[in-house]
Amino acid sequence: MTHDHDLVLRPTAAQTEAALNPPTRRPTATPQGGATRHVMTGRTGGDLVVETLAGLGATTVFGLPGQHALGMFDALRRSDLRYVGLRVENNAGFAADAYGRMTGEAAPLLLSTGPGALTSLAALQEAASASAPVLAIGSQIPTPGLGGGRHGYLHELPDQAASFRGVVKSVHTVRTASQIPSAIAAAWTSALTAPHGPVWVEIPQDVLLAETPLPVVTAVDAFPEELPPRPELTAVAADLLARAERPVIIAGGGVVRADAARKLRELAEKLSAPVVTTFGGKGAFPWEHPLSLRSWLEDRHTTDFLEDADVLLVVGSGLGELSSNYHTFKPRGRVIQVEADLGKLESNHPALGIHADARLALQALLETVERRTDESAPERVRELLAKVAGRIAAQELTLEQDVLASVRQALPAKSPSFWDMTILAYWAWSAFDPRGANTMHSAQGAGGLGYAFPAALGAAVADPTRPVLAVSGDGGALYSIAELATARQYDLNVTWLIVDDGGYGILREYMTEAFGAATGTELVRPDFVALAESFGVTGVRTTPESLAADLGKALGTPGPAVVVLPAVLRMFAATHLGEG
């Protein structure tokens, strides 16, 4: 994880001179609409926005222009910030989410008022659920129209910020140009303080457009706050773990966000403790490690193993619905929970709750816990995985396992993958080896469709040297199909695998199982190959037998590509309490 945001940027002599004597610019074309009918000749509030972002260390911004936000976008033209524009605000939010996950930096997301702002909410909910640092900056109607009335401005909402308060970590409102640097710096700090998450800043249109006499922003102080564990709690936890007979570790997404995978491995080996990773924590522990229970959380054998632990260390997980086998998990031993999100601490199970960043807590445990040796632990892990494998084998799901194996074969070891809410992704949660921390991401935090492809685009912007894989079903693909234009415009190195089963496959299964028939799940869809080619993107139709070769070729060829797999996949039968 990068830590450039921890630095205090000090101005050089040349920067100080530039700040005291900011350059003027020639009159520009008059913006249209609302309160924008005047000619601008100098720096504006929009310049303060982009200068502050640059001063904080940002290099890239995502977003979509809109009438009230034009002051910010005009200022981008005079900055060194790289702008990546997507075609739908929600997709821009997903791209920023992935950029934040991959870099550990706050990802700026520039949005317009009303419909533009509201369209980003599903993406910001996913970022909040997954603790992805997104710095959303939206415009507002002009200040004379604020206050809750109805003044007839385009895009007007009675209280726009209220729409975000239940979704993001913090809301920051600006009413004058002088407030812009401080508000953005405060939002940046909030986004990058554990637990990471999205934040919302809104600035009225007239403030963005008005000329400002303020000096150029060259130095911004923003220090994300550390969240260390209380030492008396880690001392108790270390004693419990050292004296345990059957300790087990559950590693969640907080381990990945805190860049703490290595410390997790060291602690597990020191304790001889088996480790299971949640779906959000994929890659936090090596898949093939002798102590790896992998991620078979929707399996009663795994649930029983976890319940049998006399001390269970939960790091960076709230043990929510998916991580607790749909709340059928009932621990019998002592639970120790390390969680940066105070709202998730002991929210589902009583525990020795340690409110802390996963990295700092694991380091404290490593320094205090006594080594324990348990030569039986790897054997118990092997026995559990054999039981899981036997249960899956009995369900005759060879096609699904072969498809997932082909994806793993085609994807380079260090390349990230992004998965939509689709049957193949549900398989991947449990059965896919991500081969490293921070390489596999899905929308399971909030569970919205359309995440994979725009998120993969954001990851490709973050690191253009590695191919990125996106996996969607045909239903979810149509949520983000417009971003084929974005992929082509920026020539992003993303291969999009679309599994075409004719509709919302997982919902078809759920409804048929529950009601005997499915409603609203069958879809008319386009020829995805022809559609991709119409955008100038390479498209290929594949089969399960040729998937590994076709996908590998697409991933090995620079630029965007679409691989379509017509196949009806089935979900493995999950086992909950009382099931075999």
Side-chain angles (χ1 to χ4, degrees), residues 42-53:
R43 289 169 58 257
T44 67
D47 288 280
L48 294 175
V49 172
V50 299
E51 290 165 6
T52 302
L53 290 174

PDB file of all heavy atoms in Angstrom, residues 42-53:
ATOM      1  N   GLY A  42      -9.635  34.713 -14.662  1.00  0.00           N
ATOM      2  CA  GLY A  42      -8.567  34.289 -13.760  1.00  0.00           C
ATOM      3  C   GLY A  42      -8.833  32.918 -13.197  1.00  0.00           C
ATOM      4  O   GLY A  42      -9.665  32.169 -13.693  1.00  0.00           O
ATOM      5  N   ARG A  43      -8.113  32.578 -12.148  1.00  0.00           N
ATOM      6  CA  ARG A  43      -8.331  31.298 -11.482  1.00  0.00           C
ATOM      7  C   ARG A  43      -9.680  31.296 -10.769  1.00  0.00           C
ATOM      8  O   ARG A  43     -10.175  32.333 -10.335  1.00  0.00           O
ATOM      9  CB  ARG A  43      -7.210  31.037 -10.483  1.00  0.00           C
ATOM     10  CG  ARG A  43      -5.879  30.731 -11.137  1.00  0.00           C
ATOM     11  CD  ARG A  43      -4.737  30.751 -10.138  1.00  0.00           C
ATOM     12  NE  ARG A  43      -4.924  29.817  -9.041  1.00  0.00           N
ATOM     13  CZ  ARG A  43      -5.317  30.164  -7.815  1.00  0.00           C
ATOM     14  NH1 ARG A  43      -5.525  31.443  -7.526  1.00  0.00           N
ATOM     15  NH2 ARG A  43      -5.453  29.261  -6.878  1.00  0.00           N
ATOM     16  N   THR A  44     -10.244  30.107 -10.632  1.00  0.00           N
ATOM     17  CA  THR A  44     -11.578  29.964 -10.056  1.00  0.00           C
ATOM     18  C   THR A  44     -11.565  28.967  -8.905  1.00  0.00           C
ATOM     19  O   THR A  44     -10.542  28.350  -8.594  1.00  0.00           O
ATOM     20  CB  THR A  44     -12.568  29.469 -11.119  1.00  0.00           C
ATOM     21  OG1 THR A  44     -12.190  28.123 -11.485  1.00  0.00           O
ATOM     22  CG2 THR A  44     -12.548  30.351 -12.358  1.00  0.00           C
ATOM     23  N   GLY A  45     -12.757  28.772  -8.327  1.00  0.00           N
ATOM     24  CA  GLY A  45     -12.903  27.748  -7.311  1.00  0.00           C
ATOM     25  C   GLY A  45     -12.557  26.370  -7.840  1.00  0.00           C
ATOM     26  O   GLY A  45     -12.037  25.527  -7.108  1.00  0.00           O
ATOM     27  N   GLY A  46     -12.843  26.125  -9.105  1.00  0.00           N
ATOM     28  CA  GLY A  46     -12.478  24.859  -9.713  1.00  0.00           C
ATOM     29  C   GLY A  46     -10.981  24.619  -9.679  1.00  0.00           C
ATOM     30  O   GLY A  46     -10.513  23.481  -9.484  1.00  0.00           O
ATOM     31  N   ASP A  47     -10.202  25.691  -9.878  1.00  0.00           N
ATOM     32  CA  ASP A  47      -8.743  25.558  -9.794  1.00  0.00           C
ATOM     33  C   ASP A  47      -8.311  25.171  -8.386  1.00  0.00           C
ATOM     34  O   ASP A  47      -7.380  24.375  -8.204  1.00  0.00           O
ATOM     35  CB  ASP A  47      -8.073  26.867 -10.199  1.00  0.00           C
ATOM     36  CG  ASP A  47      -8.176  27.124 -11.685  1.00  0.00           C
ATOM     37  OD1 ASP A  47      -7.392  26.540 -12.445  1.00  0.00           O
ATOM     38  OD2 ASP A  47      -9.070  27.894 -12.091  1.00  0.00           O
ATOM     39  N   LEU A  48      -8.986  25.709  -7.375  1.00  0.00           N
ATOM     40  CA  LEU A  48      -8.660  25.343  -6.004  1.00  0.00           C
ATOM     41  C   LEU A  48      -8.899  23.849  -5.767  1.00  0.00           C
ATOM     42  O   LEU A  48      -8.147  23.197  -5.032  1.00  0.00           O
ATOM     43  CB  LEU A  48      -9.491  26.169  -5.020  1.00  0.00           C
ATOM     44  CG  LEU A  48      -9.210  27.677  -5.001  1.00  0.00           C
ATOM     45  CD1 LEU A  48     -10.191  28.373  -4.063  1.00  0.00           C
ATOM     46  CD2 LEU A  48      -7.775  27.957  -4.565  1.00  0.00           C
ATOM     47  N   VAL A  49      -9.937  23.293  -6.391  1.00  0.00           N
ATOM     48  CA  VAL A  49     -10.211  21.861  -6.253  1.00  0.00           C
ATOM     49  C   VAL A  49      -9.058  21.043  -6.807  1.00  0.00           C
ATOM     50  O   VAL A  49      -8.506  20.165  -6.126  1.00  0.00           O
ATOM     51  CB  VAL A  49     -11.531  21.483  -6.962  1.00  0.00           C
ATOM     52  CG1 VAL A  49     -11.708  19.963  -6.982  1.00  0.00           C
ATOM     53  CG2 VAL A  49     -12.719  22.147  -6.290  1.00  0.00           C
ATOM     54  N   VAL A  50      -8.684  21.288  -8.051  1.00  0.00           N
ATOM     55  CA  VAL A  50      -7.655  20.445  -8.678  1.00  0.00           C
ATOM     56  C   VAL A  50      -6.287  20.710  -8.071  1.00  0.00           C
ATOM     57  O   VAL A  50      -5.466  19.783  -7.964  1.00  0.00           O
ATOM     58  CB  VAL A  50      -7.644  20.635 -10.210  1.00  0.00           C
ATOM     59  CG1 VAL A  50      -8.982  20.233 -10.812  1.00  0.00           C
ATOM     60  CG2 VAL A  50      -7.295  22.054 -10.613  1.00  0.00           C
ATOM     61  N   GLU A  51      -6.022  21.952  -7.651  1.00  0.00           N
ATOM     62  CA  GLU A  51      -4.745  22.240  -6.991  1.00  0.00           C
ATOM     63  C   GLU A  51      -4.642  21.497  -5.657  1.00  0.00           C
ATOM     64  O   GLU A  51      -3.577  20.965  -5.304  1.00  0.00           O
ATOM     65  CB  GLU A  51      -4.593  23.743  -6.766  1.00  0.00           C
ATOM     66  CG  GLU A  51      -4.382  24.538  -8.048  1.00  0.00           C
ATOM     67  CD  GLU A  51      -4.598  26.031  -7.845  1.00  0.00           C
ATOM     68  OE1 GLU A  51      -4.804  26.463  -6.679  1.00  0.00           O
ATOM     69  OE2 GLU A  51      -4.576  26.766  -8.847  1.00  0.00           O
ATOM     70  N   THR A  52      -5.740  21.452  -4.924  1.00  0.00           N
ATOM     71  CA  THR A  52      -5.737  20.738  -3.645  1.00  0.00           C
ATOM     72  C   THR A  52      -5.524  19.248  -3.860  1.00  0.00           C
ATOM     73  O   THR A  52      -4.744  18.601  -3.138  1.00  0.00           O
ATOM     74  CB  THR A  52      -7.048  20.981  -2.891  1.00  0.00           C
ATOM     75  OG1 THR A  52      -7.228  22.388  -2.687  1.00  0.00           O
ATOM     76  CG2 THR A  52      -7.031  20.276  -1.540  1.00  0.00           C
ATOM     77  N   LEU A  53      -6.214  18.672  -4.840  1.00  0.00           N
ATOM     78  CA  LEU A  53      -6.034  17.252  -5.129  1.00  0.00           C
ATOM     79  C   LEU A  53      -4.582  16.952  -5.489  1.00  0.00           C
ATOM     80  O   LEU A  53      -3.988  15.978  -5.002  1.00  0.00           O
ATOM     81  CB  LEU A  53      -6.962  16.823  -6.264  1.00  0.00           C
ATOM     82  CG  LEU A  53      -8.459  16.787  -5.939  1.00  0.00           C
ATOM     83  CD1 LEU A  53      -9.269  16.485  -7.199  1.00  0.00           C
ATOM     84  CD2 LEU A  53      -8.754  15.756  -4.857  1.00  0.00           C
TER      85      LEU A  53
END
